[in-house]
Amino acid sequence: MKMRLSTAAAGFLLLAGVGTAAAQDVIIAPEQETVIREYVEKQPLASVELPGVELNIGSTLPDTVELHEVPDVEYRYVVVDNRTVVVDPGTRKIVKIIQ
């Protein structure tokens, strides 16, 4: 019984991990990335610093960070440490970092 329970628990944890990884894999279409890049070049923002926040795909930005809209794109952006950070406005999670 213990072996069966351990195997079931391990399987569940494996599936939960796969689901979490899949949720972080957001694919931005090349056309959308081009629109974002061109918009950011035309509408430059001052770069902000976020001490204590790691800029990684899937990291959540604090509510204090102002996100800026790109017309006709579902994501928002902010410039952090001179890098354009594309963010899902619903979750505030980083989906792309454009150098």
Side-chain angles (χ1 to χ4, degrees):
M1 180 67 179
K2 281 187 178 181
M3 182 63 153
R4 184 175 297 165
L5 182 60
S6 296
T7 304
F12 175 76
L13 291 174
L14 179 63
L15 288 176
V18 168
T20 301
Q24 291 182 359
D25 292 342
V26 174
I27 307 289
I28 296 179
E31 301 82 25
Q32 277 194 329
E33 188 172 334
T34 300
V35 168
I36 293 168
R37 283 180 189 270
E38 290 175 355
Y39 186 81
V40 169
E41 287 176 14
K42 293 177 185 172
Q43 307 290 326
L45 294 175
S47 182
V48 298
E49 292 183 16
L50 298 176
V53 175
E54 290 190 35
L55 292 183
N56 296 314
I57 304 299
S59 295
T60 303
L61 295 182
D63 291 336
T64 56
V65 176
E66 182 180 359
L67 303 179
H68 301 274
E69 187 174 342
V70 177
D72 302 319
V73 176
E74 65 181 292
Y75 301 106
R76 304 292 182 262
Y77 79 101
V78 62
V79 179
V80 180
D81 298 330
N82 296 312
R83 295 186 286 176
T84 300
V85 179
V86 182
V87 180
D88 179 329
T91 63
R92 300 189 67 83
K93 289 187 184 275
I94 297 172
V95 296
K96 179 88 173 172
I97 299 172
I98 302 172
Q99 302 297 335

